[in-house]
Amino acid sequence: MLRIAIGGLSTESCTFSPLPTRLTDFTLNRGEVFLNRYPFLSEFDAEFVPLLWARALPGGSIEAETYQQIKDELLQLLRDHAPFDGVYLDMHGASNVQGMDDAEGDLIAAIRAVVGDQCLISASFDLHGNISRREVENLDMLTAFRTAPHVDVVETRHKAVSMLMHCLKTGIRPLRAWLQVPLVLPGEKTSTEWEPGKGAYAAVAESDHIPGVLDASLLVGYVWADEPRASATVIVTGTDAEAITHEAARIAQRYWDVRAEFDFGVRAGSIDECIEWALAAPESTVFISDSGDNPTAGGVGDTPLVLGRLLAHGVQSAVVASIADQAAVALCQTAGIGADVELSLGGKLDSLNSKPLLIHGRVLNVVPSQNTEIVVQVEGVKVIVTERRRPYHFIADFQRLGVEPLQHKIVVVKIGYLEPDLKRAAPLALLALSPGAVDQAIERIHYRRIQRPVYPLDKDMIWKPTPLVLTR
Ligand SMILES: [Zn+2]
């Protein structure tokens, strides 16, 4: 019976965030506990050996020692449980390690060195990964999501495993055509739910019917990583060098051709513009994305900029979810429900983009947990304060705290595009181009190390796709 190891590293590292990702930020899933990510394994005639899958909420660059520890453990587990016929790596693709470029390239090359050349390695990636030549050289095959928001997560993992099984059973040793497309476009503009992202990904799926192609992947990349590999990439895996080269060039050219058409899926403007538009809107509730401080993209989650502007506008009915501030939570918890408090709120982590906001408020609710949440009424605004940054992606996340978002005129969420549950509930959504570590206004970002020229920083650049066929 074929033996397949499963492991991986999954996080997204914003090099503009001052908050390093430490070992305590990772969930280290060892052995059977992460097998539920792959509900399809029983359909394959193989023994799957789950080793280590390390995951962290997107944040700043991973501390070097933390990465080394995770890498060492994964490599040791591979040695301890050897031999393997195949390895499946469940990756994100946008990790950054302090003092190191191309973290996944380093990890995958090290795994290759341990398992040797005969073992086949397959990987799946988030389409927000930045995929280097070194990664593709050390893998045998790979695939990536084709939807954003990601609704083909399990399907993609399944594809990576079934491709691996197919190649192992038939003796196929695939080739990969890889190329970078010099585009840095944020995920909020490249959703596959609207054009031109939708059409770009429909064009990827056309390759599925081409003889000699096993997989075609287009990754829009992760733009808040200032390292040379940050860009879009196209990788086509298959058995026919000519076919995969042709398809990779076709997908890349198709994506490049529509570069100027990418835009936010909802009306976007400055914080003040969004507040004014919301107040003037006939809709009973307007959701505003505080997109520059989105923790699920790597934002620090504590900037009080939008709250400050809501108060300046004298908004009478709003909710802000959320501001991370451990000291403020402790103070409110001690003061208790109903107490009046004075807080120097948020703005402590990302000094480049914000500073603390002095507020007077009343504690409405305290919900103790591993990440205690407080609701504070500040004039017309209910502010959710948490010990550590966390996302609010569901209406139930608010209701749990005794807050009914739809009973307020404005609901501010630290997020990019609205996640499906909020999107369904929101009568109207706006995207605030708020300053922060994950600034959506790419032209405002001070890049130092990405490859130039790149669009849209170098608007007039000329480019032609030239895929490289990589073998081992
Ligand atoms: Zn993603």
Side-chain angles (χ1 to χ4, degrees):
M1 202 187 247
L2 294 168
R3 293 189 83 231
I4 314 292
I6 307 182
L9 168 69
S10 182
T11 191
E12 199 171 61
S13 312
C14 169
T15 62
F16 301 101
S17 165
L19 281 188
T21 299
R22 301 191 164 97
L23 197 59
T24 49
D25 297 312
F26 275 96
T27 309
L28 300 175
N29 301 277
R30 297 178 176 97
E32 305 280 316
V33 293
F34 68 100
L35 274 185
N36 59 357
R37 292 173 57 77
Y38 322 104
F40 47 79
L41 291 183
S42 60
E43 71 184 68
F44 298 104
D45 186 20
E47 182 196 352
F48 290 96
V49 185
L51 301 177
L52 169 69
W53 182 68
R55 181 197 171 267
L57 187 70
S61 297
I62 304 169
E63 280 187 331
E65 317 82 82
T66 294
Y67 169 71
Q68 194 60 46
Q69 196 167 327
I70 291 169
K71 176 182 168 184
D72 288 347
E73 181 175 340
L74 183 54
L75 297 181
Q76 193 55 49
L77 286 166
L78 275 167
R79 285 187 207 101
D80 291 348
H81 294 269
F84 291 106
D85 302 290
V87 177
Y88 163 51
L89 297 176
D90 183 354
M91 308 293 282
H92 181 287
S95 300
N96 178 279
V97 174
Q98 289 179 342
M100 176 196 282
D101 287 331
D102 189 18
E104 282 85 356
D106 177 76
L107 184 64
I108 293 168
I111 290 169
R112 170 61 70 195
V114 168
V115 299
D117 276 343
Q118 290 309 308
C119 181
L120 290 190
I121 310 179
S122 179
S124 62
F125 291 94
D126 187 302
L127 62 80
H128 298 119
N130 296 322
I131 308 300
S132 69
R133 175 175 177 167
R134 181 161 58 147
E135 288 172 72
V136 181
E137 275 173 342
N138 284 290
L139 293 169
D140 292 281
M141 64 203 90
L142 67 99
T143 187
F145 299 157
R146 287 180 180 178
T147 59
H150 311 311
V151 293
D152 61 343
V153 172
V154 175
E155 212 177 310
T156 303
R157 292 175 195 144
H158 180 265
K159 175 91 188 267
V161 173
S162 76
M163 224 181 349
L164 176 63
M165 294 304 298
H166 172 69
C167 291
L168 283 171
K169 294 217 154 140
T170 54
I172 289 173
R173 293 291 180 265
L175 312 166
R176 283 84 57 212
W178 166 89
L179 79 158
Q180 291 179 305
V181 189
L183 292 176
V184 282
L185 294 168
E188 273 56 35
K189 284 188 174 176
T190 47
S191 167
T192 58
E193 291 201 337
W194 61 84
E195 294 296 349
K198 196 174 182 176
Y201 276 86
V204 176
E206 286 169 25
S207 296
D208 295 346
H209 312 292
I210 305 292
V213 171
L214 292 170
D215 176 82
S217 292
L218 162 63
L219 294 95
V220 303
Y222 179 73
V223 299
W224 298 288
D226 192 10
E227 60 167 301
R229 69 171 184 174
S231 78
T233 44
V234 175
I235 305 101
V236 180
T237 303
T239 52
D240 180 333
E242 204 173 311
I244 61 173
T245 304
H246 181 269
E247 289 307 295
R250 180 185 65 80
I251 292 164
Q253 184 70 53
R254 172 74 176 69
Y255 187 52
W256 173 257
D257 286 345
V258 294
R259 64 194 179 283
E261 294 166 33
F262 285 95
D263 208 349
F264 301 109
V266 297
R267 197 173 181 196
S270 68
I271 297 172
D272 282 338
E273 282 172 332
C274 287
I275 292 171
E276 283 158 18
W277 295 336
L279 291 175
E283 283 82 359
S284 52
T285 302
V286 181
F287 280 67
I288 298 178
S289 295
D290 179 3
S291 66
D293 197 30
N294 171 14
T296 54
V300 301
D302 93 324
T303 71
L305 295 170
V306 184
L307 172 61
R309 298 314 301 160
L310 289 169
L311 297 174
H313 283 263
V315 173
Q316 287 309 300
S317 168
V319 179
V320 170
S322 52
I323 294 172
D325 189 326
Q326 204 158 14
V329 167
L331 200 149
C332 293
Q333 206 166 7
T334 308
I337 295 173
D340 289 321
V341 288
E342 197 166 295
L343 303 171
S344 165
L345 190 59
K348 297 168 184 96
L349 303 175
D350 184 2
S351 56
L352 271 183
N353 288 299
S354 73
K355 52 184 197 305
L357 183 70
L358 200 64
I359 55 125
H360 302 269
R362 178 163 294 175
V363 180
L364 292 184
N365 202 357
V366 176
V367 180
S369 73
Q370 288 198 330
N371 186 4
T372 294
E373 294 155 288
I374 307 280
V375 183
V376 188
Q377 184 78 47
V378 186
E379 297 173 31
V381 186
K382 289 185 179 72
V383 187
I384 300 170
V385 187
T386 60
E387 288 180 277
R388 291 182 310 283
R389 72 208 172 98
R390 54 151 291 170
Y392 285 81
H393 285 178
F394 299 93
I395 293 292
D397 292 336
F398 295 82
Q399 290 170 330
R400 220 168 23 80
L401 309 176
V403 176
E404 282 296 340
L406 295 173
Q407 285 174 8
H408 298 78
K409 181 65 183 177
I410 295 178
V411 180
V412 176
V413 194
K414 289 190 190 291
I415 202 170
Y417 44 59
L418 293 185
E419 292 294 315
D421 191 55
L422 298 187
K423 191 178 172 186
R424 263 191 303 276
L428 178 67
L430 300 170
L431 188 128
L433 298 169
S434 45
V438 291
D439 198 330
Q440 293 286 332
I442 299 304
E443 291 88 344
R444 286 200 299 229
I445 298 176
H446 298 290
Y447 288 108
R448 290 200 174 90
R449 306 193 53 243
I450 63 170
Q451 294 183 65
R452 303 291 287 266
V454 68
Y455 185 89
L457 304 182
D458 306 296
K459 280 214 159 48
D460 299 325
M461 68 176 288
I462 294 164
W463 178 80
K464 281 276 162 232
T466 47
L468 277 178
V469 174
L470 303 174
T471 53
R472 288 200 298 103

